[in-house]
Amino acid sequence: MEIKKNECYEISIVDMAEDGQGIGKIEDFVVFVKDTVIGDVARVKLVKVLKHYGFGRLEELILPSKDRVEPLCKHAKACGGCTLQHLSYEKQLEYKFDQVKNCLVRIGGFLDIEKIMEGPYGMENPFRYRNKAQFPTGMGKNFKPAIGFYAGRTHSIIDTRECFLQLEVSDEVIGIIREFMEEFHISTYDETSKKGLLRHILTRVGFTTGEIMVCLIINGKKIPNVEELIQRLTKIEGMTSICLNINKEHTNKILGDTCVTLWGKGYIEDYIGEVKYQISPLSFYQVNPVQTKVLYEKALEYAGLTGEETVWDLYCGIGTISLFLAQKAKWVYGVEIVPQAIEDARRNAKNNGMENVTFFVGKAEEVLPKEYEENKVYAKVIVVDPPRKGCDETLLKTIYEMQPERVVYVSCNPATLARDLKILAGYGYEVKKVAVVDQFCQTVHVETCVLLCRTNS
Ligand code: SAH
């Protein structure tokens, strides 16, 4: 059969890709279709045709999958945030588990991996789990402000009154700011003309402390009549910190380097388990505190600490995992590339009275080899939690040379995880356990925690 662009075809969706698009076939020709899920039978218009595969647009659901659910949010389809809201949560978890499994089988070559996989660990309530929101602001209809989220793959703002991933209080904050902007004619930054004041609104909430931070990111120095806004925002229970962040750069970067505290403290505090963390507008902090605890407890379990161990936590951020491990280890060394994060890490260690941690600023793949060669440092356990691109090969090689008993690999990208595990397996490390944890419900993202043990010496 000849496959033609702009023609419609009836397609059964049999799989889902890593970005959440449904996958179906016209004979042998593979078609990716956004907004469809496994089990759908759909009329699809082909919008792009390549040699072996193409992309289609959903025209009509002929037979909806039994796993479809009605999204809570009316913007779910357009918004770039929740790509899986139309799929039942049970199936979302299954999908994520399979994503990890398939990567480990196909890329890693771990054919029997399913036997040692744990989870998926999901949430009891997979909504309103985020402690942080960054709302872009712009000009909406009738010259009124639009505040919300970017539509998928674009920078056009969907004006949102309620986001079901955020706590209700975050909607309340936005409501107050929206009203203030209208009343006092606060301009919004326009990416094309590079003019206008307000760029983004950042909200952060400490789930265990109830402390709230509001940070207004502006292309300028101050907000007119800001005292009035402060007065209104401080009526919200839990308001702890109101700040400005100055960003005059004409880039996609949300936050600038300078923060000014307008009211209250310059930070909020939150706990994961027993450990207290200070969070400022610029700090990196995990966005789903409930599941972070689940993930870190897995990492701690896999690390198998008795109190005698020397542990390295590589890509440590503000030391969240390091401090969690330090509760049970003899000494923890953390390495992180961002100097401000290490400042936070050191302060957090001090605030928790933890003296058995040392933090290094630098690249993990440079600091660890250097410390090993020059200072003959040792590790019983090494924990890595790299960004999406995974670990540098030099680092994996140093791990091999250092011969720790256990390696715990925390990953936000199953593909690079599988690639790196294959390398470590070649170095004599056996994959013992794999836990799949859902940190980002309603989206396609998934976290994995893996235990590897040394099999030879
Ligand atoms: N473990 C932390 C943060 C993980 S995110 C937590 O759970 O909160 C990954 C971290 O790796 C980021 O903080 C990023 O700044 C850092 N990073 C990126 N490349 C790095 C490198 N080459 N060496 C060390 N840290 C790096």
Side-chain angles (χ1 to χ4, degrees), residues 138 158 165 201 213 251 296 299 320 366 376 396 415 438:
I158 301 170
L165 300 194
I201 302 163
M213 163 181 285
T251 65
Y296 288 1
T320 11
E366 289 174 9
K376 298 277 164 268
L396 298 176
D438 189 18

Side-chain angles (χ1 to χ4, degrees), residues 284 286 296 315-317 320-321 336-338 362-365 385 387:
F284 173 85
Q286 297 281 353
Y296 288 1
Y315 311 89
C316 70
T320 11
I321 298 181
E336 160 65 42
I337 199 167
V338 177
K363 288 186 181 167
E365 62 273 22
D385 182 9

Side-chain angles (χ1 to χ4, degrees), residues 26 53 98 106 110 121-122 137 184 206 330 366 411 430 437:
I26 311 165
Y53 63 96
D98 286 346
R106 285 185 203 149
F110 302 100
Y121 297 99
T137 65
F184 292 93
K330 184 166 157 209
E366 289 174 9
S411 161
E430 192 181 335
V437 181

Side-chain angles (χ1 to χ4, degrees), residues 315-336:
Y315 311 89
C316 70
I318 60 162
T320 11
I321 298 181
S322 321
L323 299 187
F324 213 73
L325 297 167
Q327 301 174 99
K328 296 271 169 69
K330 184 166 157 209
W331 206 274
V332 178
Y333 295 91
V335 185
E336 160 65 42

Side-chain angles (χ1 to χ4, degrees), residues 224-408:
N225 302 97
V226 77
E227 302 75 27
E228 177 61 32
L229 177 63
I230 291 170
Q231 214 212 350
R232 293 180 191 182
L233 285 174
T234 48
K235 289 201 179 112
I236 296 179
E237 198 189 323
M239 190 56 64
T240 304
S241 170
I242 303 176
C243 338
L244 284 182
N245 175 273
I246 316 286
N247 183 3
K248 294 184 187 169
E249 306 270 321
H250 303 301
T251 65
N252 274 344
K253 222 177 112 199
I254 295 178
L255 289 160
D257 297 330
T258 316
C259 291
V260 183
T261 307
L262 295 175
W263 182 88
K265 299 188 285 186
Y267 58 87
I268 57 168
E269 291 181 322
D270 196 23
Y271 286 84
I272 299 175
E274 302 286 306
V275 186
K276 183 163 81 178
Y277 299 95
Q278 231 178 57
I279 310 152
S280 60
L282 295 171
S283 314
F284 173 85
Y285 187 65
Q286 297 281 353
V287 296
N288 182 338
V290 174
Q291 292 300 89
T292 296
K293 184 158 177 276
V294 175
L295 182 70
Y296 288 1
E297 271 167 359
K298 260 296 154 210
L300 192 60
E301 178 197 320
Y302 287 180
L305 303 179
T306 62
E308 293 304 312
E309 295 81 4
T310 300
V311 184
W312 281 76
D313 175 22
L314 307 173
Y315 311 89
C316 70
I318 60 162
T320 11
I321 298 181
S322 321
L323 299 187
F324 213 73
L325 297 167
Q327 301 174 99
K328 296 271 169 69
K330 184 166 157 209
W331 206 274
V332 178
Y333 295 91
V335 185
E336 160 65 42
I337 199 167
V338 177
Q340 293 90 335
I342 289 295
E343 273 172 40
D344 284 344
R346 289 186 179 133
R347 192 177 44 243
N348 284 329
K350 196 158 163 249
N351 289 348
N352 285 285
M354 290 178 170
E355 288 172 354
N356 57 338
V357 283
T358 310
F359 290 106
F360 296 87
V361 179
K363 288 186 181 167
E365 62 273 22
E366 289 174 9
V367 172
L368 193 67
K370 183 165 175 284
E371 289 300 312
Y372 177 61
E373 275 152 33
E374 290 177 12
N375 301 323
K376 298 277 164 268
V377 295
Y378 160 84
K380 181 111 172 183
V381 181
I382 293 183
V383 179
V384 297
D385 182 9
R388 291 190 67 76
K389 69 172 196 247
C391 294
D392 192 280
E393 263 209 77
T394 326
L395 176 69
L396 298 176
K397 186 133 180 290
T398 308
I399 293 178
Y400 166 61
E401 283 163 10
M402 285 175 78
Q403 293 279 300
E405 237 168 57
R406 289 184 286 282
V407 176
V408 179

Side-chain angles (χ1 to χ4, degrees), residues 29 55 85 159 246 361 429:
F29 187 79
F55 297 89
Q85 236 193 72
D159 199 18
I246 316 286
V361 179
Y429 281 87

